[in-house]
Amino acid sequence: MPFGVIFDGYVDEPACLGVPPYVSPYVRYCAGVLRYFNYDIAYYTCDQWREDRNAVEDDLAKADIIAIIAGLTVPGRYRGGSPLLLSELQNIAALKRKGLIFLGGPIVAGYALQGGRNALKLDLEDIDCLVTGDIEEVLFSYLSKGEIVPHLKRHGYDGVDLWSKLGSAVVRLHPWYPWIMAEMELSRGCDRIGTRCSFCTEGRFGIFEERSTEGVLEEMESLYRAGVRAFRFGRCSNILTYHGIASHKGRIPNPHALEELYKGSRQVCPNLSVLHTDNANPKTIADFPDQSVEAIGVISKYDTEGDILSFGIENLDPFVRKINNLKVDFDEAILAVRLVNEAGGWRPTPRNLPKVLPGLNFLVGLAGDTDKALEVNSAFLRQILDEGLAVRRINIRKPMVFDGTLLKDLLPTYPNKVKESRYKKWKEWVRDEIDRAFLQRVAPVGCILENVRVEEKSGKLSFGRQLATYPLLVGIVDETLKLGDITTISIVDYGRRSVTGIPFPLDINNCPASSLMAIPGIGKARAMRIMQGRPYFSIGELKEALDDESLIDELAPFLSIDHTAHSQ
């Protein structure tokens, strides 16, 4: 049986994320093509290669086909894994091997690891095929006809619908399985009429194309059978216009199509744990408010709590917006935030996260950017706070500059004039003054987060996250937790971009003192009083022992009584 290796160097694009726990569509499509031709498949991430090079390189050496997926066009800061470096890619390409290497993903547009820089052109002599088209289509052509056609692109979704189902089982080979989230493709390219945003690389896919609801749901069902319980509609530039209606102003939201998609997801994956989204165009909401509100209502009816509609706000200065062809002006952006709050900001219970809120993306360093633009963006954030609205998260980054984008052509004429020191100061202001305020608004003290997985330990703190789109980082005050433990927590405090929590409900008879002291209003002295009276057999006994009604009121929302496993 022929043997193929899929090597995942991770991807991050405007409309696709494939850094753990996310599994990108690229790797699943490649697996499907190899399965179609009866290949035995090994799948490795670049982090696995770093941990055990010999084992991975043994398989690379004997493989008939090696498909490497990599590339960042909107890089961020990652906790789940470290994307493949160019030097590492060069080392892998230079290995002695039997088979051919096909390199695909956004890396073909150029290599860069952080924003604010020009992407480097690739010069990889040891790569047999640098795929400038679609890697799954190029692989299929090679295995069908024996021809390597690097620029070959797929048209339509017939092939993808087949390969995505055949390749779904590859997720079982992921090192994080079953704690993974499948990034689902609904469309690719941009649905905007006219010129795209100056920095965006979605245009490299050519014409905008959408996938059928049937094809999406069939893939989700296959992934569900393979053990996936978390899904995100992230491979889509604008969820609101999925199967939208064409008009002279742009595509009009189609709530009926979204109902079919989201309700259908619940039907084919009846016990899913996460159903989240990513990109939405705030201009769509501003131009078609009634239809957008109905569409957001559909999403919030069927998704799971803590969902985000990511808005490409980028920069609200009128001049910067005009020359970079950005989406919305100041008033339109405020309206979009306001309407998502109204239609999607409700909570399933008072102690849950809101169903769906906006996420804001800002870019500093576009053509014509100045300190004045930062002040405009600051005024926007202050107005959101003043109106009592909420956003789920704020991303701030610098654009990466790629050949073939409008930004590359604009910068020589309209250079970025924001100094590094000013950029850092503004970013720190957002983190210190704005992020914390929104965190307290979105996830107030006592808010409950279920299925938080411990990923890191540091002293008495355990750090964990949910499977979610842009999950909250949680510092859990409980030194007894172990790596990999999954727990429910209640929020007690806040960091700059993170929250602090304690296990919920807190077992008052067995919890460590640090967990008690983390509850607002409970200091060291009160925690010691509580511990000295253990075990408690009821809330009534606790009241009698403490003789402090206000203390009981502060404790009650966080507690459980379990005397069966009491230990001093």
Side-chain angles (χ1 to χ4, degrees):
M1 179 179 287
F3 176 55
V5 173
I6 298 172
F7 189 93
D8 194 349
Y10 310 144
V11 299
D12 192 355
E13 302 177 81
C16 186
L17 181 58
V19 181
Y22 291 88
V23 183
S24 75
Y26 292 103
V27 299
R28 308 195 306 265
Y29 299 168
C30 287
V33 172
L34 294 179
R35 289 285 188 212
Y36 183 87
F37 289 97
N38 296 313
Y39 269 65
D40 189 21
I41 298 173
Y43 167 79
Y44 297 107
T45 68
C46 52
D47 285 314
Q48 286 178 292
W49 170 71
R50 294 175 183 124
E51 293 168 4
D52 190 353
R53 292 198 176 196
N54 290 335
V56 176
E57 290 177 3
D58 283 347
D59 272 354
L60 290 172
K62 65 186 181 184
D64 299 289
I65 293 286
I66 301 167
I68 301 178
I69 306 299
L72 312 174
T73 59
V74 286
R77 304 179 77 176
Y78 310 104
R79 293 185 62 87
S82 299
L84 188 68
L85 301 175
L86 182 57
S87 59
E88 293 175 326
L89 175 59
Q90 291 167 334
N91 290 337
I92 292 168
L95 293 172
K96 291 183 179 180
R97 52 190 159 79
K98 169 187 174 183
L100 301 176
I101 290 181
F102 291 77
L103 174 63
I107 196 169
V108 302
Y111 172 81
L113 197 60
Q114 57 184 300
R117 298 183 179 181
N118 290 335
L120 300 174
K121 293 183 180 179
L122 296 184
D123 183 15
L124 298 168
E125 294 180 355
D126 296 312
I127 296 292
D128 299 288
C129 179
L130 180 62
V131 178
T132 56
D134 293 310
I135 188 169
E136 67 275 9
E137 194 72 40
V138 173
L139 280 175
F140 184 80
S141 175
Y142 173 70
L143 295 175
S144 301
K145 306 172 185 177
E147 300 173 355
I148 296 178
V149 187
H151 61 273
L152 197 61
K153 291 188 177 183
R154 57 178 162 90
H155 299 285
Y157 278 98
D158 290 344
V160 161
D161 288 344
L162 172 62
W163 301 328
S164 64
K165 288 182 288 185
L166 291 175
S168 59
V170 76
V171 297
R172 292 176 175 153
L173 303 178
H174 195 284
W176 287 45
Y177 178 85
W179 191 261
I180 56 175
M181 180 177 287
E183 183 84 313
M184 301 301 302
E185 180 172 347
L186 303 185
S187 65
R188 66 176 188 169
C190 181
D191 69 341
R192 291 185 70 189
I193 296 175
T195 308
R196 298 181 179 90
C197 300
S198 66
F199 58 90
C200 191
T201 56
E202 274 296 289
R204 74 184 180 88
F205 293 108
I207 63 170
F208 173 74
E209 58 180 359
E210 288 185 298
R211 193 175 179 188
S212 71
T213 303
E214 182 182 13
V216 175
L217 295 179
E218 286 180 354
E219 183 188 3
M220 290 182 72
E221 188 172 19
S222 295
L223 288 164
Y224 188 81
R225 290 198 203 101
V228 177
R229 295 295 180 268
F231 301 88
R232 186 176 85 152
F233 297 131
R235 189 74 180 93
C236 173
S237 63
N238 184 10
I239 186 67
L240 296 176
T241 58
Y242 177 65
H243 290 308
I245 303 159
S247 81
H248 71 281
K249 289 182 66 175
R251 289 162 62 84
I252 305 171
N254 183 347
H256 176 71
L258 289 172
E259 178 95 17
E260 287 186 342
L261 176 66
Y262 279 83
K263 183 178 181 180
S265 300
R266 290 286 192 168
Q267 291 171 338
V268 300
C269 308
N271 294 311
L272 60 77
S273 60
V274 181
L275 182 60
H276 276 179
T277 317
D278 191 15
N279 300 300
N281 187 342
K283 182 66 171 173
T284 299
I285 300 175
D287 286 346
F288 308 107
D290 293 340
Q291 298 93 331
S292 295
V293 164
E294 187 178 353
I296 296 164
V298 169
I299 292 171
S300 69
K301 177 180 179 181
Y302 294 104
D303 67 354
T304 53
E305 63 173 278
D307 198 2
I308 294 175
L309 295 181
S310 297
F311 286 175
I313 300 295
E314 324 306 2
N315 192 311
L316 293 172
D317 178 86
F319 178 72
V320 179
R321 174 180 175 253
K322 180 179 179 180
I323 65 172
N324 289 277
N325 196 41
L326 305 181
K327 302 178 186 74
V328 285
D329 63 25
F330 192 104
D331 292 336
E332 290 171 331
I334 290 289
L335 176 62
V337 171
R338 190 182 295 138
L339 292 182
V340 175
N341 273 256
E342 292 175 5
W346 58 277
R347 303 171 191 264
T349 75
R351 298 186 71 175
N352 284 121
L353 290 172
K355 264 310 196 77
V356 58
L357 288 173
L360 306 181
N361 298 336
F362 289 98
L363 280 176
V364 178
L366 291 170
D369 209 353
T370 63
D371 291 352
K372 175 191 171 187
L374 295 181
E375 292 305 317
V376 176
N377 295 336
S378 297
F380 169 72
L381 293 173
R382 290 192 190 98
Q383 182 166 336
I384 295 173
L385 278 175
D386 290 345
E387 286 194 23
L389 303 172
V391 300
R392 175 56 185 75
R393 59 107 185 110
I394 302 171
N395 282 351
I396 302 170
R397 63 179 181 87
K398 297 178 181 180
M400 293 170 64
V401 184
F402 289 89
D403 286 344
T405 61
L406 177 62
L407 182 60
K408 182 72 176 283
D409 298 330
L410 286 172
L411 282 171
T413 305
Y414 304 102
N416 161 42
K417 295 182 180 180
V418 179
K419 293 182 179 179
E420 182 67 17
S421 59
R422 183 68 182 90
Y423 166 70
K424 289 182 177 179
K425 185 177 179 180
W426 183 75
K427 190 172 182 179
E428 289 299 302
W429 173 79
V430 174
R431 298 298 176 232
D432 290 336
E433 302 295 329
I434 303 298
D435 278 329
R436 186 182 178 94
F438 280 135
L439 273 179
Q440 293 171 324
R441 193 168 288 178
V442 170
V445 168
C447 187
I448 294 168
L449 304 181
E450 297 180 339
N451 297 319
V452 177
R453 182 175 183 266
V454 177
E455 299 176 344
E456 185 181 332
K457 298 278 292 182
S458 179
K460 293 184 178 181
L461 281 178
S462 303
F463 291 95
R465 296 181 300 169
Q466 297 175 298
L467 271 179
T469 184
Y470 301 98
L472 288 170
L473 176 63
V474 186
I476 311 168
V477 187
D478 186 344
E479 60 264 39
T480 67
L481 292 172
K482 302 182 293 295
L483 290 176
D485 282 354
I486 298 174
T487 186
T488 297
I489 70 99
S490 183
I491 293 172
V492 294
D493 202 357
Y494 307 89
R496 299 174 80 199
R497 302 191 75 193
S498 62
V499 295
T500 303
I502 56 175
F504 178 83
L506 187 67
D507 180 359
I508 195 171
N509 286 324
N510 295 285
C511 69
S514 58
S515 297
L516 283 170
M517 287 188 285
I519 297 174
I522 309 298
K524 183 176 181 180
R526 282 178 152 186
M528 292 304 104
R529 280 180 59 199
I530 293 167
M531 294 188 70
Q532 288 167 3
R534 298 197 305 195
Y536 304 98
F537 293 85
S538 67
I539 291 291
E541 185 175 328
L542 177 63
K543 284 184 178 180
E544 184 177 338
L546 297 180
D547 192 27
D548 187 338
E549 205 61 45
S550 65
L551 176 56
I552 297 299
D553 291 341
E554 291 164 353
L555 284 170
F558 301 96
L559 294 188
S560 69
I561 300 289
D562 180 5
H563 63 274
T564 58
H566 172 66
S567 58
Q568 295 288 347

